[in-house]
Amino acid sequence: MADKTQAVVVGTWAFAAQPVAVAAKLAAEGESCVECLEKALNVAEEDEQYGPYQVGRGGPPNEKGEVELDAALMSGHGLSFGAVTALQGIPRASSVARCVMERSQHSMLTAQGAQDFALQHGFHLDMPPAQNITGDGDRERQGSGERRGQADQEASHLHDTLGLIVLDVHGNIAAGVTTSGMRNKARGRIGDSALPGCGLYADNQVGAVCCSGEGDEILKFCPSFLVMESMRQGMSPEAACQAAIKRIQQRVAPARPFELAIVAVSARGEVGAASTVTGWTDTLTGHSYPGFPYVVWRAGDEGFAEPRTLVVEHVSS
């Protein structure tokens, strides 16, 4: 019997620590990369505390006071893909995305169509159809006084998304993302997160990539696919991430830079990351990082026996 692959899990931003830990436990037990992704993403989607990171049931509402969720999963085995966008009422958007991937003739469903599909396949509405933007729940998530002001200021220029990559012991790799999108977005707005080649991509022959940041700008450059193709040509994940950001920076006018963070894992388990983030402060813990913090776990690696947060400094143009 061939040796098992060394499992690897990577997540965007420091708040990915718990989801990465969940995926790591499942990966160590031999679960598939897709199963690991779904269960790990559900951790954040179901917990309102992840709302300030623009994830799940606690995520910020759109301009109509509604929480709309985007999520996608892509399996590197056979390039299977499933996504939902502008989904209301069902916090486990990544589970619905997996259902689309495995049980729909389509690859992406949106808004009412996504909700109809979910209900037809056993999901239940357990989120209110709309939130009071100035209600008590919103105040609790944002804090009060000086702390709330700080959170609002940070939210104005940070665009968080939870992205995860899992390489399992069977040698399969997959990527998944979930987000509520930015506060006060237009109803039906879709960013990069759930779009293949933009927010994520996975291919067993090469590896997997996830992106996070300012989605309306990111989707113009398809950075996940750009990184994948550089890796396919022999670049390491780190070099491929850096090259993608430099290429984008060369195309974007210096006067209008935007936030972009990328993580990548090769089919051999190599990990890399790069970003334009000069610093990031956790809106809940107040902990500041001098760059883009991402979380890594590797099976059998003494230095990564537990999920470990690494920080990569921004790439200069």
Side-chain angles (χ1 to χ4, degrees), residues 93-114:
S94 59
S95 293
V96 183
R98 180 181 180 181
C99 192
V100 171
M101 180 174 71
E102 297 178 344
R103 304 180 66 180
S104 174
Q105 63 178 317
H106 307 298
S107 295
M108 179 180 289
L109 297 174
T110 193
Q112 189 61 53

Side-chain angles (χ1 to χ4, degrees), residues 32-274:
S32 73
C33 52
V34 172
E35 183 72 11
C36 295
L37 277 178
E38 180 188 2
K39 294 297 186 291
L41 292 170
N42 285 167
V43 169
E45 291 170 332
E46 290 282 14
D47 189 342
E48 288 194 3
Q49 292 190 52
Y50 286 83
Y53 307 123
Q54 301 183 357
V55 175
R57 67 163 66 244
N62 63 20
E63 63 183 1
K64 301 296 185 180
E66 306 156 331
V67 177
E68 293 184 320
L69 305 178
D70 300 346
L73 271 68
M74 185 167 186
S75 170
H77 178 68
L79 305 182
S80 299
F81 178 84
V84 291
T85 59
L87 175 68
Q88 294 188 26
I90 301 170
R92 292 185 294 120
S94 59
S95 293
V96 183
R98 180 181 180 181
C99 192
V100 171
M101 180 174 71
E102 297 178 344
R103 304 180 66 180
S104 174
Q105 63 178 317
H106 307 298
S107 295
M108 179 180 289
L109 297 174
T110 193
Q112 189 61 53
Q115 187 185 90
D116 290 346
F117 174 86
L119 296 177
Q120 291 166 7
H121 288 81
F123 291 88
H124 302 284
L125 297 176
D126 59 357
M127 287 172 59
Q131 292 185 3
N132 182 350
I133 295 178
T134 59
D136 292 339
D138 192 57
R139 284 198 296 269
E140 290 173 3
R141 285 194 299 276
Q142 292 298 320
S144 60
E146 181 179 349
R147 186 77 192 106
R148 184 175 64 183
Q150 179 182 353
D152 288 341
Q153 182 180 16
E154 290 164 352
S156 68
H157 68 278
L158 294 176
H159 307 81
D160 304 336
T161 299
L162 177 58
L164 294 178
I165 297 171
V166 178
L167 174 65
D168 66 28
V169 298
H170 311 291
N172 294 314
I173 195 166
V177 294
T178 186
T179 184
S180 64
M182 65 178 67
R183 176 176 298 277
N184 294 329
K185 66 183 181 181
R187 175 187 280 176
R189 176 264 185 185
I190 307 301
D192 71 301
S193 297
L195 303 181
C198 297
L200 74 167
Y201 205 83
D203 184 343
N204 272 11
Q205 295 182 358
V206 183
V209 185
C210 280
C211 294
S212 182
E214 193 171 340
D216 292 285
E217 296 298 323
I218 291 173
L219 60 78
K220 300 174 184 178
F221 296 94
C222 301
S224 288
F225 192 72
L226 183 59
V227 170
M228 285 290 291
E229 289 308 291
S230 293
M231 290 167 59
R232 193 184 301 276
Q233 294 170 25
M235 278 192 185
S236 69
E238 182 174 355
C241 291
Q242 292 177 346
I245 287 182
K246 287 182 178 179
R247 177 172 169 178
I248 292 169
Q249 287 176 326
Q250 290 170 358
R251 183 64 181 83
V252 176
R256 59 180 189 89
F258 62 89
E259 182 184 271
L260 169 59
I262 312 174
V263 293
V265 178
S266 74
R268 297 185 297 274
E270 304 163 308
V271 176

Side-chain angles (χ1 to χ4, degrees), residues 8-21 24 263 271 273 289 292-299 301-312:
V8 177
V9 182
V10 176
T12 58
W13 309 104
F15 62 80
Q18 184 57 33
V20 168
V263 293
V271 176
Y289 299 86
F292 165 55
Y294 63 106
V295 183
V296 180
W297 171 86
R298 287 195 188 93
D301 189 327
E302 184 175 344
F304 293 86
E306 298 293 331
R308 180 178 172 187
T309 300
L310 305 180
V311 178
V312 60

